């Protein structure tokens, strides 16, 4: 059973950095898509960054500030977040797919980790 489990969320001031982690135990599809999404109050879920064997894609608002990467040996997906802004606030959720990112179909979802950025 694949179950993503996120960690690393915190309350920080604008300009600081955070690293989110997502342990994806049992996930054998090393070429396929993993991603980070954000739920913010009053907003629909947003795709923040996704990665597979061929591509890495970022939401425009986080380009140059966030980096998504994987450690295969640890079965872990990361999101390195720098120069955080108040608008980055939200619940960050990790998702895993049994296909490449271009399909944007994710079968496995975590519960999320909260990031709060104060001015």
């Amino acid at each position: 059973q694949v179950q993503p489990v996120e960690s690393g969320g915190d309350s920080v001031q604008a300009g600081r950095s955070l690293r989110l982690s997502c342990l994806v135990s049992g996930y054998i599809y090393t070429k396929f898509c993993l991603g980070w999404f954000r739920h913010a109050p009053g907003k629909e879920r947003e795709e923040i960054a996704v990665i597979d064997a061929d591509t890495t894609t970022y939401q425009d608002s986080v380009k140059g500030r966030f980096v998504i990467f994987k450690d295969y040996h640890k079965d872990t997906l990361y999101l390195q977040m720098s120069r955080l802004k108040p608008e980055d606030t939200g619940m960050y959720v990790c998702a895993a797919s049994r296909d490449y990112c271009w399909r944007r179909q994710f079968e496995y979802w975590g519960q999320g980790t909260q990031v709060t950025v104060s001015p």
Side-chain angles (χ1 to χ4, degrees):
Q1 180 71 18
V2 178
Q3 179 57 59
V5 178
E6 304 90 339
S7 62
D10 203 349
S11 295
V12 297
Q13 288 188 316
R16 303 297 294 269
S17 297
L18 279 177
R19 177 177 289 186
L20 305 183
S21 301
C22 177
L23 178 62
V24 193
S25 300
Y27 184 71
I28 63 173
Y29 312 102
T30 56
K31 296 187 300 181
F32 293 160
C33 195
L34 294 168
W36 286 98
F37 296 78
R38 180 172 67 208
H39 294 264
K43 296 184 179 180
E44 294 187 358
R45 184 178 68 200
E46 302 176 272
E47 178 186 294
I48 300 301
V50 295
I51 184 170
D52 63 21
D54 297 330
T55 62
T56 302
T57 305
Y58 296 93
Q59 187 193 80
D60 285 345
S61 69
V62 307
K63 286 180 180 177
R65 299 189 298 122
F66 291 9
V67 177
I68 184 172
F69 61 100
K70 300 182 287 187
D71 184 330
Y72 292 105
H73 299 293
K74 296 182 179 179
D75 293 336
T76 301
L77 176 72
Y78 298 95
L79 184 68
Q80 179 67 45
M81 311 164 71
S82 303
R83 303 196 305 278
L84 282 161
K85 303 176 180 180
E87 51 263 44
D88 295 323
T89 294
M91 180 71 74
Y92 283 73
V93 179
C94 170
S97 174
R98 295 198 299 261
D99 209 328
Y100 287 96
C101 289
W102 68 271
R103 288 195 177 276
R104 291 302 194 277
Q105 293 179 354
F106 294 88
E107 289 80 11
Y108 311 105
W109 293 85
Q111 296 297 309
T113 186
Q114 179 67 34
V115 173
T116 303
V117 185
S118 58

